[in-house]
Amino acid sequence: MGEEERLRLNDNEGLKERKSISWILFDIDGPVISALTKAGELLLLSIVFVLCCLPVVTIGPACTALYGTVVKNIRRSRGYPLKEFFSIMKKRFRQSFIAGLIMILMGIGLYYLYGLAAKTALNSFWQKSFVIFLTIVIAVFFYLFPVLSRFKVNIRNAFSLAFLMCGEHLLTTLAHIVAAALLVYLFIFIVPIICLPFVPGIWTLLSSFLMERILRKYMPPPSEEDRGKWYYEK
């Protein structure tokens, strides 16, 4: 091989390497731009979620829409974030609204009863019972809205399925409870409140890696038409 040919090969290899680095850093389909786009979409979904939760009673539909959109759009790259968010919210609004309202009332009621028990110096059995019931309500909350985003079920079946899941998958339930407690601690003592808009999307994304494995166990086997659907992808 002549000197001229070796130089040409080296130039070609250098050009390929520069193109490869350029593709990684600047190409719209490259990993860096794709990751930044997903991060921006996740932040956008988090902000929209927080705004939709401001009336409080709409927390249920907002949670359902956020979970469904994060899995479908952020993880599976299907559709557009805002379009999917409001589409899911509209489709599941009635069930999610009622379920969210029930969860809010249950949480407030249990917390009030626990505070009443502590103030009236009831025995420790009642105080511990209230803590246990409150823990169950929180555990069901983690599963309820992913269930509503994935399955067409009535309110009763949604609560039953969520309760079944949190009992059958205890490690996942405990992981969610510990992570939520740690998150509350961080925001109270360490992380500035200005970071709050970033949390819902990141929490939902991380939670979905555990939750999707569980949801698939309760889904029927895919038919020929359903094999290409996003919710059957792993």
Side-chain angles (χ1 to χ4, degrees), residues 177-193:
I177 292 173
V178 171
L182 179 61
L183 199 60
V184 171
Y185 174 83
L186 289 174
F187 270 99
I188 292 175
F189 297 106
I190 300 174
V191 180
I193 198 68

PDB file of all heavy atoms in Angstrom, residues 177-193:
ATOM      1  N   ILE A 177     -43.395   3.888  48.567  1.00  0.00           N
ATOM      2  CA  ILE A 177     -43.660   4.595  49.828  1.00  0.00           C
ATOM      3  C   ILE A 177     -42.374   5.216  50.381  1.00  0.00           C
ATOM      4  O   ILE A 177     -42.353   6.378  50.789  1.00  0.00           O
ATOM      5  CB  ILE A 177     -44.293   3.642  50.859  1.00  0.00           C
ATOM      6  CG1 ILE A 177     -45.707   3.257  50.415  1.00  0.00           C
ATOM      7  CG2 ILE A 177     -44.339   4.283  52.242  1.00  0.00           C
ATOM      8  CD1 ILE A 177     -46.355   2.196  51.274  1.00  0.00           C
ATOM      9  N   VAL A 178     -41.285   4.443  50.366  1.00  0.00           N
ATOM     10  CA  VAL A 178     -40.000   4.956  50.863  1.00  0.00           C
ATOM     11  C   VAL A 178     -39.513   6.107  49.999  1.00  0.00           C
ATOM     12  O   VAL A 178     -39.037   7.134  50.509  1.00  0.00           O
ATOM     13  CB  VAL A 178     -38.948   3.820  50.902  1.00  0.00           C
ATOM     14  CG1 VAL A 178     -37.562   4.382  51.198  1.00  0.00           C
ATOM     15  CG2 VAL A 178     -39.331   2.782  51.956  1.00  0.00           C
ATOM     16  N   ALA A 179     -39.637   5.954  48.674  1.00  0.00           N
ATOM     17  CA  ALA A 179     -39.198   7.017  47.758  1.00  0.00           C
ATOM     18  C   ALA A 179     -40.025   8.285  47.962  1.00  0.00           C
ATOM     19  O   ALA A 179     -39.480   9.397  47.947  1.00  0.00           O
ATOM     20  CB  ALA A 179     -39.312   6.534  46.319  1.00  0.00           C
ATOM     21  N   ALA A 180     -41.334   8.130  48.167  1.00  0.00           N
ATOM     22  CA  ALA A 180     -42.200   9.298  48.388  1.00  0.00           C
ATOM     23  C   ALA A 180     -41.848   9.994  49.699  1.00  0.00           C
ATOM     24  O   ALA A 180     -41.794  11.232  49.762  1.00  0.00           O
ATOM     25  CB  ALA A 180     -43.660   8.863  48.404  1.00  0.00           C
ATOM     26  N   ALA A 181     -41.592   9.205  50.746  1.00  0.00           N
ATOM     27  CA  ALA A 181     -41.210   9.784  52.041  1.00  0.00           C
ATOM     28  C   ALA A 181     -39.879  10.530  51.927  1.00  0.00           C
ATOM     29  O   ALA A 181     -39.713  11.630  52.479  1.00  0.00           O
ATOM     30  CB  ALA A 181     -41.110   8.679  53.097  1.00  0.00           C
ATOM     31  N   LEU A 182     -38.939   9.955  51.199  1.00  0.00           N
ATOM     32  CA  LEU A 182     -37.640  10.601  50.991  1.00  0.00           C
ATOM     33  C   LEU A 182     -37.804  11.895  50.208  1.00  0.00           C
ATOM     34  O   LEU A 182     -37.161  12.914  50.512  1.00  0.00           O
ATOM     35  CB  LEU A 182     -36.706   9.650  50.237  1.00  0.00           C
ATOM     36  CG  LEU A 182     -35.297  10.173  49.914  1.00  0.00           C
ATOM     37  CD1 LEU A 182     -34.540  10.506  51.200  1.00  0.00           C
ATOM     38  CD2 LEU A 182     -34.518   9.147  49.102  1.00  0.00           C
ATOM     39  N   LEU A 183     -38.682  11.881  49.220  1.00  0.00           N
ATOM     40  CA  LEU A 183     -38.933  13.066  48.408  1.00  0.00           C
ATOM     41  C   LEU A 183     -39.524  14.192  49.256  1.00  0.00           C
ATOM     42  O   LEU A 183     -39.114  15.355  49.137  1.00  0.00           O
ATOM     43  CB  LEU A 183     -39.890  12.710  47.269  1.00  0.00           C
ATOM     44  CG  LEU A 183     -39.927  13.648  46.067  1.00  0.00           C
ATOM     45  CD1 LEU A 183     -38.557  13.742  45.402  1.00  0.00           C
ATOM     46  CD2 LEU A 183     -40.972  13.166  45.072  1.00  0.00           C
ATOM     47  N   VAL A 184     -40.470  13.853  50.100  1.00  0.00           N
ATOM     48  CA  VAL A 184     -41.067  14.848  51.003  1.00  0.00           C
ATOM     49  C   VAL A 184     -40.005  15.428  51.922  1.00  0.00           C
ATOM     50  O   VAL A 184     -39.932  16.650  52.141  1.00  0.00           O
ATOM     51  CB  VAL A 184     -42.213  14.215  51.826  1.00  0.00           C
ATOM     52  CG1 VAL A 184     -42.681  15.175  52.907  1.00  0.00           C
ATOM     53  CG2 VAL A 184     -43.378  13.846  50.913  1.00  0.00           C
ATOM     54  N   TYR A 185     -39.155  14.562  52.464  1.00  0.00           N
ATOM     55  CA  TYR A 185     -38.070  15.019  53.351  1.00  0.00           C
ATOM     56  C   TYR A 185     -37.131  15.981  52.616  1.00  0.00           C
ATOM     57  O   TYR A 185     -36.744  17.034  53.162  1.00  0.00           O
ATOM     58  CB  TYR A 185     -37.287  13.815  53.870  1.00  0.00           C
ATOM     59  CG  TYR A 185     -36.069  14.187  54.683  1.00  0.00           C
ATOM     60  CD1 TYR A 185     -36.167  14.499  56.035  1.00  0.00           C
ATOM     61  CD2 TYR A 185     -34.807  14.239  54.080  1.00  0.00           C
ATOM     62  CE1 TYR A 185     -35.044  14.855  56.775  1.00  0.00           C
ATOM     63  CE2 TYR A 185     -33.686  14.591  54.803  1.00  0.00           C
ATOM     64  CZ  TYR A 185     -33.812  14.900  56.159  1.00  0.00           C
ATOM     65  OH  TYR A 185     -32.692  15.256  56.888  1.00  0.00           O
ATOM     66  N   LEU A 186     -36.764  15.624  51.383  1.00  0.00           N
ATOM     67  CA  LEU A 186     -35.849  16.474  50.611  1.00  0.00           C
ATOM     68  C   LEU A 186     -36.432  17.858  50.371  1.00  0.00           C
ATOM     69  O   LEU A 186     -35.732  18.870  50.479  1.00  0.00           O
ATOM     70  CB  LEU A 186     -35.523  15.798  49.279  1.00  0.00           C
ATOM     71  CG  LEU A 186     -34.615  14.562  49.334  1.00  0.00           C
ATOM     72  CD1 LEU A 186     -34.499  13.923  47.965  1.00  0.00           C
ATOM     73  CD2 LEU A 186     -33.231  14.913  49.871  1.00  0.00           C
ATOM     74  N   PHE A 187     -37.724  17.912  50.053  1.00  0.00           N
ATOM     75  CA  PHE A 187     -38.350  19.203  49.768  1.00  0.00           C
ATOM     76  C   PHE A 187     -38.574  20.023  51.030  1.00  0.00           C
ATOM     77  O   PHE A 187     -38.615  21.255  50.982  1.00  0.00           O
ATOM     78  CB  PHE A 187     -39.670  19.006  49.025  1.00  0.00           C
ATOM     79  CG  PHE A 187     -39.497  18.993  47.535  1.00  0.00           C
ATOM     80  CD1 PHE A 187     -39.432  17.794  46.859  1.00  0.00           C
ATOM     81  CD2 PHE A 187     -39.350  20.168  46.829  1.00  0.00           C
ATOM     82  CE1 PHE A 187     -39.249  17.769  45.482  1.00  0.00           C
ATOM     83  CE2 PHE A 187     -39.166  20.161  45.452  1.00  0.00           C
ATOM     84  CZ  PHE A 187     -39.109  18.958  44.780  1.00  0.00           C
ATOM     85  N   ILE A 188     -38.705  19.372  52.167  1.00  0.00           N
ATOM     86  CA  ILE A 188     -38.889  20.108  53.421  1.00  0.00           C
ATOM     87  C   ILE A 188     -37.568  20.671  53.927  1.00  0.00           C
ATOM     88  O   ILE A 188     -37.486  21.823  54.380  1.00  0.00           O
ATOM     89  CB  ILE A 188     -39.526  19.206  54.492  1.00  0.00           C
ATOM     90  CG1 ILE A 188     -40.977  18.879  54.097  1.00  0.00           C
ATOM     91  CG2 ILE A 188     -39.506  19.884  55.860  1.00  0.00           C
ATOM     92  CD1 ILE A 188     -41.642  17.888  55.028  1.00  0.00           C
ATOM     93  N   PHE A 189     -36.496  19.885  53.801  1.00  0.00           N
ATOM     94  CA  PHE A 189     -35.241  20.262  54.457  1.00  0.00           C
ATOM     95  C   PHE A 189     -34.081  20.615  53.524  1.00  0.00           C
ATOM     96  O   PHE A 189     -33.144  21.275  53.947  1.00  0.00           O
ATOM     97  CB  PHE A 189     -34.780  19.115  55.383  1.00  0.00           C
ATOM     98  CG  PHE A 189     -35.734  18.824  56.497  1.00  0.00           C
ATOM     99  CD1 PHE A 189     -36.533  17.693  56.469  1.00  0.00           C
ATOM    100  CD2 PHE A 189     -35.852  19.693  57.578  1.00  0.00           C
ATOM    101  CE1 PHE A 189     -37.413  17.421  57.498  1.00  0.00           C
ATOM    102  CE2 PHE A 189     -36.734  19.428  58.611  1.00  0.00           C
ATOM    103  CZ  PHE A 189     -37.526  18.297  58.572  1.00  0.00           C
ATOM    104  N   ILE A 190     -34.118  20.179  52.267  1.00  0.00           N
ATOM    105  CA  ILE A 190     -32.920  20.333  51.431  1.00  0.00           C
ATOM    106  C   ILE A 190     -33.207  21.046  50.111  1.00  0.00           C
ATOM    107  O   ILE A 190     -32.655  22.114  49.834  1.00  0.00           O
ATOM    108  CB  ILE A 190     -32.274  18.953  51.147  1.00  0.00           C
ATOM    109  CG1 ILE A 190     -31.856  18.278  52.469  1.00  0.00           C
ATOM    110  CG2 ILE A 190     -31.070  19.105  50.222  1.00  0.00           C
ATOM    111  CD1 ILE A 190     -31.340  16.873  52.311  1.00  0.00           C
ATOM    112  N   VAL A 191     -34.061  20.467  49.281  1.00  0.00           N
ATOM    113  CA  VAL A 191     -34.279  20.956  47.908  1.00  0.00           C
ATOM    114  C   VAL A 191     -35.189  22.182  47.926  1.00  0.00           C
ATOM    115  O   VAL A 191     -36.237  22.162  48.582  1.00  0.00           O
ATOM    116  CB  VAL A 191     -34.900  19.846  47.038  1.00  0.00           C
ATOM    117  CG1 VAL A 191     -35.120  20.356  45.605  1.00  0.00           C
ATOM    118  CG2 VAL A 191     -34.006  18.617  47.036  1.00  0.00           C
ATOM    119  N   PRO A 192     -34.820  23.251  47.210  1.00  0.00           N
ATOM    120  CA  PRO A 192     -35.705  24.432  47.148  1.00  0.00           C
ATOM    121  C   PRO A 192     -37.005  24.115  46.433  1.00  0.00           C
ATOM    122  O   PRO A 192     -37.040  23.318  45.498  1.00  0.00           O
ATOM    123  CB  PRO A 192     -34.870  25.462  46.371  1.00  0.00           C
ATOM    124  CG  PRO A 192     -33.863  24.659  45.624  1.00  0.00           C
ATOM    125  CD  PRO A 192     -33.574  23.456  46.457  1.00  0.00           C
ATOM    126  N   ILE A 193     -38.075  24.759  46.868  1.00  0.00           N
ATOM    127  CA  ILE A 193     -39.412  24.494  46.336  1.00  0.00           C
ATOM    128  C   ILE A 193     -39.524  24.832  44.856  1.00  0.00           C
ATOM    129  O   ILE A 193     -40.412  24.328  44.150  1.00  0.00           O
ATOM    130  CB  ILE A 193     -40.456  25.292  47.152  1.00  0.00           C
ATOM    131  CG1 ILE A 193     -41.876  24.704  46.941  1.00  0.00           C
ATOM    132  CG2 ILE A 193     -40.422  26.755  46.780  1.00  0.00           C
ATOM    133  CD1 ILE A 193     -42.079  23.360  47.526  1.00  0.00           C
TER     134      ILE A 193
END
